[in-house]
Amino acid sequence: MILPSSTSEKILCCLSYLSILFLPVVFPLIVWIVAMNHGDAVTYHAKRAFWSQIFPALYILVALIIYFIAGATGMSAIRNAGGWLFGILLVLALLISLLLYIYNLAMAVRVLLDR
């Protein structure tokens, strides 16, 4: 983990993780793009925050595509157990989202408390 050297870098890194509360995905992406030329620590943490915030959305998109393709192809096992498949995919999506939510909050605290 690359540690930020100044207070302003710490705040930017922390806000990148905490943006899951107010502007997920967009704020870390903006910080990542703007900070590419300014500091390794800010770029590193903004990139990690971005990917940890966009992953649940990508998972849900892929899960829905799999579910709809399986339903459209007429697979009888999927058609008969479609509710179970959707329920399992939904529970996994919620679990992944919760874990990454906690991860983002923990990383924000860690960045602020590291010296």
Side-chain angles (χ1 to χ4, degrees):
M1 183 169 92
I2 302 173
L3 297 175
S5 57
S6 68
T7 305
S8 61
E9 285 183 358
K10 276 187 177 185
I11 291 172
L12 267 177
C13 294
C14 179
L15 284 176
S16 292
Y17 289 112
L18 287 179
S19 69
I20 198 163
L21 300 172
F22 59 90
L23 196 59
V25 178
V26 176
F27 186 80
L29 181 62
I30 292 170
V31 171
W32 184 12
I33 291 170
V34 171
M36 279 188 185
N37 299 327
H38 296 295
D40 292 336
V42 177
T43 304
Y44 173 80
H45 289 288
K47 181 171 50 169
R48 287 177 59 112
F50 171 77
W51 284 110
S52 68
Q53 292 174 16
I54 202 167
F55 183 75
L58 293 176
Y59 172 80
I60 291 171
L61 180 68
V62 169
L64 285 174
I65 289 171
I66 290 170
Y67 179 74
F68 287 128
I69 288 175
T73 58
M75 298 175 142
S76 62
I78 298 296
R79 195 175 331 140
N80 294 337
W84 286 101
L85 175 65
F86 187 70
I88 290 170
L89 292 175
L90 181 64
V91 167
L92 284 174
L94 292 173
L95 186 62
I96 289 169
S97 297
L98 177 65
L99 290 173
L100 288 174
Y101 185 83
I102 293 169
Y103 167 80
N104 276 292
L105 295 178
M107 285 302 294
V109 171
R110 185 175 179 191
V111 165
L112 276 180
L113 296 180
D114 279 343
R115 295 174 188 209

PDB file of all heavy atoms in Angstrom, residues 14 16-21 52-53 98-112:
ATOM      1  N   CYS A  14      -8.890   9.383   1.203  1.00  0.00           N
ATOM      2  CA  CYS A  14     -10.006   9.026   2.081  1.00  0.00           C
ATOM      3  C   CYS A  14     -11.348   9.313   1.407  1.00  0.00           C
ATOM      4  O   CYS A  14     -12.260   8.491   1.455  1.00  0.00           O
ATOM      5  CB  CYS A  14      -9.882   9.786   3.394  1.00  0.00           C
ATOM      6  SG  CYS A  14     -11.211   9.454   4.547  1.00  0.00           S
ATOM      7  N   SER A  16     -11.961   9.360  -1.717  1.00  0.00           N
ATOM      8  CA  SER A  16     -12.177   8.402  -2.804  1.00  0.00           C
ATOM      9  C   SER A  16     -12.883   7.159  -2.288  1.00  0.00           C
ATOM     10  O   SER A  16     -13.782   6.629  -2.934  1.00  0.00           O
ATOM     11  CB  SER A  16     -10.844   8.012  -3.444  1.00  0.00           C
ATOM     12  OG  SER A  16     -10.291   9.101  -4.121  1.00  0.00           O
ATOM     13  N   TYR A  17     -12.464   6.690  -1.119  1.00  0.00           N
ATOM     14  CA  TYR A  17     -13.126   5.519  -0.531  1.00  0.00           C
ATOM     15  C   TYR A  17     -14.493   5.874   0.039  1.00  0.00           C
ATOM     16  O   TYR A  17     -15.443   5.113  -0.097  1.00  0.00           O
ATOM     17  CB  TYR A  17     -12.256   4.907   0.569  1.00  0.00           C
ATOM     18  CG  TYR A  17     -11.031   4.201   0.046  1.00  0.00           C
ATOM     19  CD1 TYR A  17      -9.759   4.689   0.287  1.00  0.00           C
ATOM     20  CD2 TYR A  17     -11.139   3.031  -0.693  1.00  0.00           C
ATOM     21  CE1 TYR A  17      -8.631   4.044  -0.190  1.00  0.00           C
ATOM     22  CE2 TYR A  17     -10.017   2.381  -1.187  1.00  0.00           C
ATOM     23  CZ  TYR A  17      -8.763   2.887  -0.924  1.00  0.00           C
ATOM     24  OH  TYR A  17      -7.664   2.238  -1.406  1.00  0.00           O
ATOM     25  N   LEU A  18     -14.591   7.019   0.705  1.00  0.00           N
ATOM     26  CA  LEU A  18     -15.863   7.415   1.324  1.00  0.00           C
ATOM     27  C   LEU A  18     -16.911   7.850   0.304  1.00  0.00           C
ATOM     28  O   LEU A  18     -18.081   8.007   0.652  1.00  0.00           O
ATOM     29  CB  LEU A  18     -15.638   8.540   2.330  1.00  0.00           C
ATOM     30  CG  LEU A  18     -14.961   8.146   3.637  1.00  0.00           C
ATOM     31  CD1 LEU A  18     -14.778   9.364   4.521  1.00  0.00           C
ATOM     32  CD2 LEU A  18     -15.741   7.070   4.354  1.00  0.00           C
ATOM     33  N   SER A  19     -16.507   8.031  -0.933  1.00  0.00           N
ATOM     34  CA  SER A  19     -17.474   8.445  -1.948  1.00  0.00           C
ATOM     35  C   SER A  19     -18.535   7.381  -2.186  1.00  0.00           C
ATOM     36  O   SER A  19     -19.547   7.662  -2.822  1.00  0.00           O
ATOM     37  CB  SER A  19     -16.760   8.774  -3.252  1.00  0.00           C
ATOM     38  OG  SER A  19     -16.226   7.594  -3.832  1.00  0.00           O
ATOM     39  N   ILE A  20     -18.328   6.190  -1.658  1.00  0.00           N
ATOM     40  CA  ILE A  20     -19.370   5.160  -1.753  1.00  0.00           C
ATOM     41  C   ILE A  20     -20.634   5.614  -1.043  1.00  0.00           C
ATOM     42  O   ILE A  20     -21.722   5.146  -1.317  1.00  0.00           O
ATOM     43  CB  ILE A  20     -18.871   3.804  -1.216  1.00  0.00           C
ATOM     44  CG1 ILE A  20     -19.761   2.691  -1.723  1.00  0.00           C
ATOM     45  CG2 ILE A  20     -18.777   3.807   0.301  1.00  0.00           C
ATOM     46  CD1 ILE A  20     -19.173   1.324  -1.605  1.00  0.00           C
ATOM     47  N   LEU A  21     -20.499   6.589  -0.147  1.00  0.00           N
ATOM     48  CA  LEU A  21     -21.654   7.113   0.584  1.00  0.00           C
ATOM     49  C   LEU A  21     -22.377   8.229  -0.166  1.00  0.00           C
ATOM     50  O   LEU A  21     -23.569   8.436   0.027  1.00  0.00           O
ATOM     51  CB  LEU A  21     -21.206   7.654   1.944  1.00  0.00           C
ATOM     52  CG  LEU A  21     -20.547   6.658   2.893  1.00  0.00           C
ATOM     53  CD1 LEU A  21     -19.998   7.376   4.105  1.00  0.00           C
ATOM     54  CD2 LEU A  21     -21.521   5.575   3.279  1.00  0.00           C
ATOM     55  N   SER A  52     -13.302  -1.109  -6.584  1.00  0.00           N
ATOM     56  CA  SER A  52     -14.085  -1.741  -5.520  1.00  0.00           C
ATOM     57  C   SER A  52     -15.531  -1.239  -5.513  1.00  0.00           C
ATOM     58  O   SER A  52     -16.411  -1.911  -4.985  1.00  0.00           O
ATOM     59  CB  SER A  52     -13.437  -1.512  -4.158  1.00  0.00           C
ATOM     60  OG  SER A  52     -13.505  -0.157  -3.787  1.00  0.00           O
ATOM     61  N   GLN A  53     -15.777  -0.090  -6.094  1.00  0.00           N
ATOM     62  CA  GLN A  53     -17.139   0.442  -6.146  1.00  0.00           C
ATOM     63  C   GLN A  53     -17.873   0.032  -7.416  1.00  0.00           C
ATOM     64  O   GLN A  53     -19.104  -0.063  -7.427  1.00  0.00           O
ATOM     65  CB  GLN A  53     -17.121   1.964  -6.012  1.00  0.00           C
ATOM     66  CG  GLN A  53     -16.691   2.412  -4.636  1.00  0.00           C
ATOM     67  CD  GLN A  53     -16.530   3.903  -4.525  1.00  0.00           C
ATOM     68  OE1 GLN A  53     -16.998   4.655  -5.354  1.00  0.00           O
ATOM     69  NE2 GLN A  53     -15.848   4.343  -3.474  1.00  0.00           N
ATOM     70  N   LEU A  98     -22.137  -5.676   0.127  1.00  0.00           N
ATOM     71  CA  LEU A  98     -21.938  -5.393   1.548  1.00  0.00           C
ATOM     72  C   LEU A  98     -20.466  -5.485   1.936  1.00  0.00           C
ATOM     73  O   LEU A  98     -19.940  -4.615   2.635  1.00  0.00           O
ATOM     74  CB  LEU A  98     -22.774  -6.342   2.408  1.00  0.00           C
ATOM     75  CG  LEU A  98     -22.609  -6.200   3.917  1.00  0.00           C
ATOM     76  CD1 LEU A  98     -23.126  -4.836   4.374  1.00  0.00           C
ATOM     77  CD2 LEU A  98     -23.313  -7.321   4.642  1.00  0.00           C
ATOM     78  N   LEU A  99     -19.794  -6.522   1.472  1.00  0.00           N
ATOM     79  CA  LEU A  99     -18.375  -6.685   1.786  1.00  0.00           C
ATOM     80  C   LEU A  99     -17.531  -5.545   1.214  1.00  0.00           C
ATOM     81  O   LEU A  99     -16.633  -5.025   1.882  1.00  0.00           O
ATOM     82  CB  LEU A  99     -17.867  -8.032   1.278  1.00  0.00           C
ATOM     83  CG  LEU A  99     -18.386  -9.255   2.016  1.00  0.00           C
ATOM     84  CD1 LEU A  99     -17.939 -10.533   1.321  1.00  0.00           C
ATOM     85  CD2 LEU A  99     -17.934  -9.245   3.456  1.00  0.00           C
ATOM     86  N   LEU A 100     -17.821  -5.144  -0.002  1.00  0.00           N
ATOM     87  CA  LEU A 100     -17.062  -4.047  -0.600  1.00  0.00           C
ATOM     88  C   LEU A 100     -17.420  -2.700   0.022  1.00  0.00           C
ATOM     89  O   LEU A 100     -16.587  -1.800   0.087  1.00  0.00           O
ATOM     90  CB  LEU A 100     -17.262  -4.021  -2.114  1.00  0.00           C
ATOM     91  CG  LEU A 100     -16.552  -5.170  -2.838  1.00  0.00           C
ATOM     92  CD1 LEU A 100     -16.905  -5.175  -4.306  1.00  0.00           C
ATOM     93  CD2 LEU A 100     -15.055  -5.101  -2.647  1.00  0.00           C
ATOM     94  N   TYR A 101     -18.629  -2.542   0.514  1.00  0.00           N
ATOM     95  CA  TYR A 101     -19.023  -1.340   1.252  1.00  0.00           C
ATOM     96  C   TYR A 101     -18.203  -1.227   2.533  1.00  0.00           C
ATOM     97  O   TYR A 101     -17.635  -0.173   2.831  1.00  0.00           O
ATOM     98  CB  TYR A 101     -20.529  -1.422   1.557  1.00  0.00           C
ATOM     99  CG  TYR A 101     -21.108  -0.204   2.201  1.00  0.00           C
ATOM    100  CD1 TYR A 101     -21.489   0.877   1.428  1.00  0.00           C
ATOM    101  CD2 TYR A 101     -21.297  -0.129   3.576  1.00  0.00           C
ATOM    102  CE1 TYR A 101     -22.038   2.012   2.012  1.00  0.00           C
ATOM    103  CE2 TYR A 101     -21.842   0.992   4.169  1.00  0.00           C
ATOM    104  CZ  TYR A 101     -22.216   2.055   3.376  1.00  0.00           C
ATOM    105  OH  TYR A 101     -22.753   3.166   3.959  1.00  0.00           O
ATOM    106  N   ILE A 102     -18.123  -2.324   3.268  1.00  0.00           N
ATOM    107  CA  ILE A 102     -17.325  -2.353   4.497  1.00  0.00           C
ATOM    108  C   ILE A 102     -15.849  -2.135   4.183  1.00  0.00           C
ATOM    109  O   ILE A 102     -15.147  -1.415   4.897  1.00  0.00           O
ATOM    110  CB  ILE A 102     -17.558  -3.674   5.256  1.00  0.00           C
ATOM    111  CG1 ILE A 102     -18.993  -3.725   5.766  1.00  0.00           C
ATOM    112  CG2 ILE A 102     -16.564  -3.851   6.395  1.00  0.00           C
ATOM    113  CD1 ILE A 102     -19.414  -5.078   6.297  1.00  0.00           C
ATOM    114  N   TYR A 103     -15.368  -2.740   3.096  1.00  0.00           N
ATOM    115  CA  TYR A 103     -13.969  -2.568   2.691  1.00  0.00           C
ATOM    116  C   TYR A 103     -13.657  -1.098   2.419  1.00  0.00           C
ATOM    117  O   TYR A 103     -12.622  -0.590   2.861  1.00  0.00           O
ATOM    118  CB  TYR A 103     -13.695  -3.414   1.433  1.00  0.00           C
ATOM    119  CG  TYR A 103     -12.386  -3.071   0.762  1.00  0.00           C
ATOM    120  CD1 TYR A 103     -11.199  -3.566   1.248  1.00  0.00           C
ATOM    121  CD2 TYR A 103     -12.352  -2.258  -0.368  1.00  0.00           C
ATOM    122  CE1 TYR A 103      -9.997  -3.254   0.630  1.00  0.00           C
ATOM    123  CE2 TYR A 103     -11.167  -1.939  -0.983  1.00  0.00           C
ATOM    124  CZ  TYR A 103      -9.985  -2.442  -0.475  1.00  0.00           C
ATOM    125  OH  TYR A 103      -8.800  -2.122  -1.081  1.00  0.00           O
ATOM    126  N   ASN A 104     -14.529  -0.408   1.703  1.00  0.00           N
ATOM    127  CA  ASN A 104     -14.296   1.000   1.392  1.00  0.00           C
ATOM    128  C   ASN A 104     -14.256   1.853   2.653  1.00  0.00           C
ATOM    129  O   ASN A 104     -13.405   2.738   2.779  1.00  0.00           O
ATOM    130  CB  ASN A 104     -15.368   1.525   0.434  1.00  0.00           C
ATOM    131  CG  ASN A 104     -15.046   1.209  -0.998  1.00  0.00           C
ATOM    132  OD1 ASN A 104     -14.110   1.741  -1.558  1.00  0.00           O
ATOM    133  ND2 ASN A 104     -15.811   0.323  -1.581  1.00  0.00           N
ATOM    134  N   LEU A 105     -15.144   1.594   3.586  1.00  0.00           N
ATOM    135  CA  LEU A 105     -15.142   2.353   4.840  1.00  0.00           C
ATOM    136  C   LEU A 105     -13.885   2.065   5.651  1.00  0.00           C
ATOM    137  O   LEU A 105     -13.265   2.982   6.217  1.00  0.00           O
ATOM    138  CB  LEU A 105     -16.392   2.032   5.655  1.00  0.00           C
ATOM    139  CG  LEU A 105     -17.724   2.450   5.031  1.00  0.00           C
ATOM    140  CD1 LEU A 105     -18.875   2.025   5.920  1.00  0.00           C
ATOM    141  CD2 LEU A 105     -17.763   3.940   4.774  1.00  0.00           C
ATOM    142  N   ALA A 106     -13.470   0.797   5.694  1.00  0.00           N
ATOM    143  CA  ALA A 106     -12.259   0.431   6.441  1.00  0.00           C
ATOM    144  C   ALA A 106     -11.013   1.044   5.810  1.00  0.00           C
ATOM    145  O   ALA A 106     -10.113   1.515   6.526  1.00  0.00           O
ATOM    146  CB  ALA A 106     -12.129  -1.086   6.508  1.00  0.00           C
ATOM    147  N   MET A 107     -10.946   1.057   4.496  1.00  0.00           N
ATOM    148  CA  MET A 107      -9.780   1.647   3.826  1.00  0.00           C
ATOM    149  C   MET A 107      -9.729   3.156   4.043  1.00  0.00           C
ATOM    150  O   MET A 107      -8.645   3.733   4.170  1.00  0.00           O
ATOM    151  CB  MET A 107      -9.803   1.318   2.331  1.00  0.00           C
ATOM    152  CG  MET A 107      -9.433  -0.101   2.022  1.00  0.00           C
ATOM    153  SD  MET A 107      -7.810  -0.596   2.615  1.00  0.00           S
ATOM    154  CE  MET A 107      -6.748   0.426   1.617  1.00  0.00           C
ATOM    155  N   ALA A 108     -10.877   3.826   4.097  1.00  0.00           N
ATOM    156  CA  ALA A 108     -10.896   5.255   4.351  1.00  0.00           C
ATOM    157  C   ALA A 108     -10.327   5.545   5.733  1.00  0.00           C
ATOM    158  O   ALA A 108      -9.490   6.459   5.900  1.00  0.00           O
ATOM    159  CB  ALA A 108     -12.320   5.805   4.248  1.00  0.00           C
ATOM    160  N   VAL A 109     -10.726   4.772   6.719  1.00  0.00           N
ATOM    161  CA  VAL A 109     -10.202   4.952   8.070  1.00  0.00           C
ATOM    162  C   VAL A 109      -8.713   4.636   8.118  1.00  0.00           C
ATOM    163  O   VAL A 109      -7.918   5.352   8.733  1.00  0.00           O
ATOM    164  CB  VAL A 109     -10.987   4.074   9.083  1.00  0.00           C
ATOM    165  CG1 VAL A 109     -10.324   4.071  10.433  1.00  0.00           C
ATOM    166  CG2 VAL A 109     -12.426   4.563   9.166  1.00  0.00           C
ATOM    167  N   ARG A 110      -8.310   3.562   7.440  1.00  0.00           N
ATOM    168  CA  ARG A 110      -6.896   3.159   7.425  1.00  0.00           C
ATOM    169  C   ARG A 110      -6.007   4.231   6.808  1.00  0.00           C
ATOM    170  O   ARG A 110      -4.925   4.521   7.301  1.00  0.00           O
ATOM    171  CB  ARG A 110      -6.749   1.849   6.673  1.00  0.00           C
ATOM    172  CG  ARG A 110      -5.371   1.298   6.705  1.00  0.00           C
ATOM    173  CD  ARG A 110      -5.297  -0.048   6.056  1.00  0.00           C
ATOM    174  NE  ARG A 110      -3.927  -0.537   6.088  1.00  0.00           N
ATOM    175  CZ  ARG A 110      -3.516  -1.566   5.420  1.00  0.00           C
ATOM    176  NH1 ARG A 110      -4.361  -2.261   4.683  1.00  0.00           N
ATOM    177  NH2 ARG A 110      -2.263  -1.936   5.482  1.00  0.00           N
ATOM    178  N   VAL A 111      -6.458   4.823   5.704  1.00  0.00           N
ATOM    179  CA  VAL A 111      -5.665   5.869   5.046  1.00  0.00           C
ATOM    180  C   VAL A 111      -5.515   7.083   5.976  1.00  0.00           C
ATOM    181  O   VAL A 111      -4.445   7.677   6.058  1.00  0.00           O
ATOM    182  CB  VAL A 111      -6.317   6.272   3.701  1.00  0.00           C
ATOM    183  CG1 VAL A 111      -5.739   7.572   3.185  1.00  0.00           C
ATOM    184  CG2 VAL A 111      -6.143   5.191   2.685  1.00  0.00           C
ATOM    185  N   LEU A 112      -6.574   7.440   6.675  1.00  0.00           N
ATOM    186  CA  LEU A 112      -6.504   8.594   7.571  1.00  0.00           C
ATOM    187  C   LEU A 112      -5.617   8.334   8.780  1.00  0.00           C
ATOM    188  O   LEU A 112      -4.927   9.244   9.249  1.00  0.00           O
ATOM    189  CB  LEU A 112      -7.902   8.978   8.044  1.00  0.00           C
ATOM    190  CG  LEU A 112      -8.708   9.867   7.111  1.00  0.00           C
ATOM    191  CD1 LEU A 112     -10.059  10.166   7.719  1.00  0.00           C
ATOM    192  CD2 LEU A 112      -7.974  11.143   6.780  1.00  0.00           C
TER     193      LEU A 112
END
